[in-house]
Amino acid sequence: MTTKMFGAPVQRTEDLRLLVGNGRYLDDLGEGAYEAAFVRSPHARARITGIDVTGALDVDGLIAIYTYEDLAGRVAEPLPLLIPHPALTHGRTAYPLAKEFVNHVGEAVVMVVATDRYLAEDACERITVEYEALPPVVGIENAFRADRLVHDDVPGNCAAHLVQEVGDAPAAIAAAPNRLELKLDIERSACMPMEGRGVYARWDAADESLRVYTSTQTSTGVRAAVAAKLDLPLDRVECVTPDVGGGFGVKIVHPWPEEILIPWAARLLDHEVKWTEDRREHFISAAHERGQLQTVRVGFDDDGRLLGLDVEILHDNGAYTPYGIIVPIITSTQLLGPYKPGAYRVDFRSLYTNTVIVTPYRGAGRPQGVFAMERAMDAIADHLGKDRTEVRAVNFIQPDEMPYDHGLLFQDGRPLIYDSGDFPGSLDALKKLVGWDEFEAYRAQARAEGRRVGIGVACYVEGTGVGPYEGGHVQVETTGKVVVATGLTSQGQGHQTVFAQIVADELGVPIEDVTVTTGDTRRFPYAVGTFASRAAVMSGNAIALAARNVKAKALRIAGEALEADPRDLEIVDGHVRVKGSPGASVALGTVAVLSNPLRYAFDEASKAATQLTGKADFSKPPVAEDDEPGLEGRDYYSPPTATFANGMHAVIVETDPDTAEIRILRYCVVHDCGHLINPMIVEGQVHGGVAQGVGGALYERMEYDEHGQLVNASFMDFLMPYASEVPKIEIDHLETPSPLNPLGIKGAGEAGVIPAAAVFASAIEDAEGFPITRMPIQPSELFHLRKRFAAGEIPALRRGADHAAGTHR
Amino acid sequence: MTETQIPTEQRLDIRLSVNGVPHTTTVTPRRLLSDCLRHDLGLTGTHVGCEHGVCGACTVRVDGKPMRACLMFAVSAQGHEITTVEGLAEPDGTMHPVQQAFRECHGLQCGFCTPGFLTVVSAFLEENPTPTEEEAREAVSGNLCRCTGYQNIVKSVLRAAEITEERKGCAHAEGDAR
Ligand code: FES
Ligand code: FES
């Protein structure tokens, strides 16, 4: 009996390998390759006045040294601006190696290739670069004030200015019975996968072809970029994504300078070359996210219903904009969450600073957007003296209003239309799970014990499964084994398993017989990439459609063999059989044999095939005109709009009255990503997301000094949560299937992280009795806020007036 | 051309015992144990996440004790018994209880941090075969994982303790039957 795999908590097929040390991550490959290291800028902004490499020339094992002057052809041009946008009027990208100017600490200036990384670093140390240091632009306020410019030709340091409007928000706010204004500040964090970036390239001179292995979230993107930059025909470049040790967004950026330079050097030197990023390099030359200043103005009625919402965002995009303005676009659209905003106006400026570039990090602009909206919801509730969940509920889009069109354009340039969701149902489930209604009693009891506790809530809607497309290929081999390929990559989300689950069900084969390859352009050359919680939706549906094609073909061929109508056939446990009479059946492997008229008998299966002359009809060719040999199918899935998953989080915290330490007592998640392919994997995704959310809310902050030096560029100083800091996460699922795709699924990859900063702010201010407007909040910050509060510099929450008096000594 | 003479690096022949197998290799004195295991001996199961002793990805067992291979020189590992993730399973391929538990409990996602957790937990359970949830969490609190949120890792530790116990039970049962 085949059991249904879709929806089952199937153990991951990728784990056996990874658990015994047989993973193949980038740095595990390329034994014997030359290794590269980089001299990187120590200045945030400077002019390069000279580079002297002579000191490095007699380093043992040195192979080559390259500066900008050595780059040729398109490699010498600026890196591509991947996602242009009409509002991005002043997009700027870096050169693979700095040309005259450096714009952030960590920018690559010289590349050294040696027989070994140790020696390459030795050589780097002996190269002297002379700089004329220039005063840098650090921090959003400075960028906005624009006393100095990051790029001389970008006025106001403004890369992009975009306004979207539905109705007349300023007028609606002016006319509203109640009005509030909030100033919010979210700091920079970063993806920080445990495996940094890495590239390894092999040039085949005789074949004039290149194979690039890279730890990327998009192998097809890297392939195309490398081919273009190195002026090679696309068919001479292969890109393989090995096991990837986490990405979380930073590895969707491509090509990284190193992804061009390493293949370029491999060809030039006619030798394998590899680069494995070290942790400090990752901090100062990869990418960060999150930094924004927001001004939120709301007008609302006495029930808390939004009448007008006007948001201004200053977004720090770092020194360059290779990935466009995706992050602030997402913030400005996804900010709306499950609510109807009334009239809405959002205005963002994306600003240059002399710091590491900003590109999507798990959640990609949504945590900031949710922070803005949920802080506003809490402020409205406080202003009206209402329960925070009540104010949210009156603003919800109702299930019968789906699909819901916000009248805005989403990140993919398409209309922002929610496909499905049941927000009131989610909120009910969350309130039950966390015990919302019983919390006041708990608070009273805690207070009696001298403890200070608070509860928070935050809701979000996440556009997932954005297009344009993904594809899948499914092939049944003559052994009956099924090989599946999709171009999209995997960085630990269990894609091999969930895609195998889908194929097992669609084709009626045991899951053990299915193997899945992801992110290898040799196996599937068309793809977009793994980001925006799109893998399951896009490749999952594409693979399902491909499997359906294979099934149709299998039934047709088996029908001929069994002399039955294909409509009377089914596939069970890898055998095509006549429904109701399991005796008449043919193995799928045999169907694969039948599908391919062979001339040569190279193994038993093919020997059988060459003998299968049967009742040949000699008036027809062996392969019919519109048919192809082989039992395989390919298909693509391309949705009209994104799917929209949603969720709500609640947290209960306890803040230490003396040390201001913040302890998490409960963390509850209600999550709706449509049909779950594998609940175990979805929950794992939520856990991981929440952990990153805890980091972003309570610990992680990229600490730049006024010179643009990142002063906490190590795991010792940049605080990421360990097991001791992440709470147990309680999850409840709702499944409102998406009507947009055959499987009814929505993505789940980023969900956990999105509302975390907002929910912690909500809970901490609930415990403390004064508003929280800045994240992350470490104990020292809370301590100082308390002091300022005691000194009357921060107003009390209104509802907190009496309880604050009770809790503050 | 330069004034400063670059000294040729000293190279030393060393003998390392890894997973019960003797290896000889030649290293410079500064070569990290993590690099030696990975690149000289080809045991790439041990991973490097930070190279400054904080993340625990590179943890191996040295004479049974968890040690960060990025904080040790290869030369100083001579004369000690080193166990890497490749050495955790039984010679017949049966997974170590910790490996099996991580699989059952979805204790890994990208798997990059996993070898470090496995070596740490395997050592921990030998000292404390019946940990509480609190102790299990404490035991893995020196290793960073960016993917899992740790919940399933803690679950895996507890499950590994159970599996060890179950296996002992089976061994007893087999013994009784004979
Ligand atoms: S690599 Fe050794 S502790 Fe991080
Ligand atoms: S599983 Fe990816 S870092 Fe732990």
Side-chain angles (χ1 to χ4, degrees), chain A residues 107-252:
Chain A
E107 193 163 352
V109 180
V110 185
M111 174 166 72
V112 172
V113 179
T115 50
D116 158 292
R117 171 74 183 233
Y118 287 65
L119 302 171
E121 288 188 22
D122 285 348
C124 285
E125 262 171 35
R126 294 176 153 263
I127 292 169
T128 35
V129 182
E130 271 165 41
Y131 298 93
E132 178 200 330
L134 302 166
V137 178
V138 185
I140 299 177
E141 281 114 338
N142 289 332
F144 184 59
R145 202 176 310 123
D147 298 339
R148 356 175 145 114
L149 300 179
V150 174
H151 304 284
D152 287 340
D153 55 349
V154 179
N157 289 315
C158 188
H161 180 201
L162 183 63
V163 182
Q164 290 207 68
E165 243 171 322
V166 184
D168 185 346
I173 295 167
N178 306 285
R179 282 180 291 275
L180 281 172
E181 179 175 306
L182 283 74
K183 296 258 184 208
L184 304 171
D185 175 351
I186 310 233
E187 261 296 348
R188 271 193 181 217
S189 186
C191 302
M192 282 302 141
M194 293 303 296
E195 181 206 35
R197 298 171 298 158
V199 195
Y200 157 50
R202 290 156 64 159
W203 171 249
D204 183 333
D207 192 46
E208 299 206 318
S209 69
L210 182 71
R211 183 175 310 159
V212 182
Y213 296 82
T214 177
S215 187
T216 186
Q217 292 174 225
T218 172
S219 51
T220 49
V222 173
R223 179 196 193 200
V226 169
K229 282 287 183 188
L230 268 52
D231 205 10
L232 287 165
L234 195 62
D235 79 312
R236 298 287 92 183
V237 181
E238 296 166 341
C239 183
V240 183
T241 314
D243 289 319
V244 172
F248 313 115
V250 66
K251 296 178 185 174
I252 188 63

Side-chain angles (χ1 to χ4, degrees), chain A residues 444-584:
Chain A
Q445 182 196 329
R447 198 177 289 158
E449 294 162 8
R451 295 165 52 219
R452 191 183 292 188
V453 294
I455 192 168
V457 61
C459 312
Y460 69 93
V461 169
E462 178 197 1
T464 61
V466 294
Y469 77 91
E470 287 296 335
H473 180 251
V474 175
Q475 179 168 22
V476 181
E477 296 184 332
T478 55
T479 55
K481 302 271 184 214
V482 184
V483 291
V484 180
T486 183
L488 170 142
T489 60
S490 179
Q491 50 262 13
Q493 305 98 320
H495 294 162
Q496 274 98 338
T497 308
V498 293
F499 297 153
Q501 283 178 261
I502 291 170
V503 170
D505 280 358
E506 294 287 345
L507 265 191
V509 296
I511 191 167
E512 303 77 59
D513 286 351
V514 185
T515 45
V516 180
T517 302
T518 58
D520 184 338
T521 62
R522 296 171 301 178
R523 292 291 310 284
F524 204 94
Y526 293 97
V528 182
T530 305
F531 59 92
S533 306
R534 69 193 293 282
V537 180
M538 303 303 299
S539 281
N541 279 296
I543 287 170
L545 295 172
R548 287 174 193 181
N549 294 343
V550 173
K551 183 174 179 180
K553 185 167 186 181
L555 297 185
R556 174 165 58 79
I557 296 169
E560 285 163 23
L562 296 169
E563 293 180 354
D565 186 329
R567 280 169 301 188
D568 297 333
L569 299 177
E570 61 182 355
I571 311 179
V572 176
D573 222 1
H575 288 74
V576 189
R577 64 184 198 193
V578 180
K579 282 181 202 159
S581 75

Side-chain angles (χ1 to χ4, degrees), chain B residues 48-51 53-56 58 68 70:
Chain B
V48 175
C50 69
E51 252 183 281
V54 184
C55 74
C58 65
R68 313 220 143 174
C70 74

Side-chain angles (χ1 to χ4, degrees), chain B residues 150-168:
Chain B
Y150 305 106
Q151 188 150 330
N152 290 343
I153 292 183
V154 173
K155 209 159 132 195
S156 303
V157 178
L158 299 173
R159 177 68 191 129
E162 270 174 31
I163 296 171
T164 313
E165 207 39 43
E166 284 164 19
R167 286 199 190 164
K168 271 194 209 143

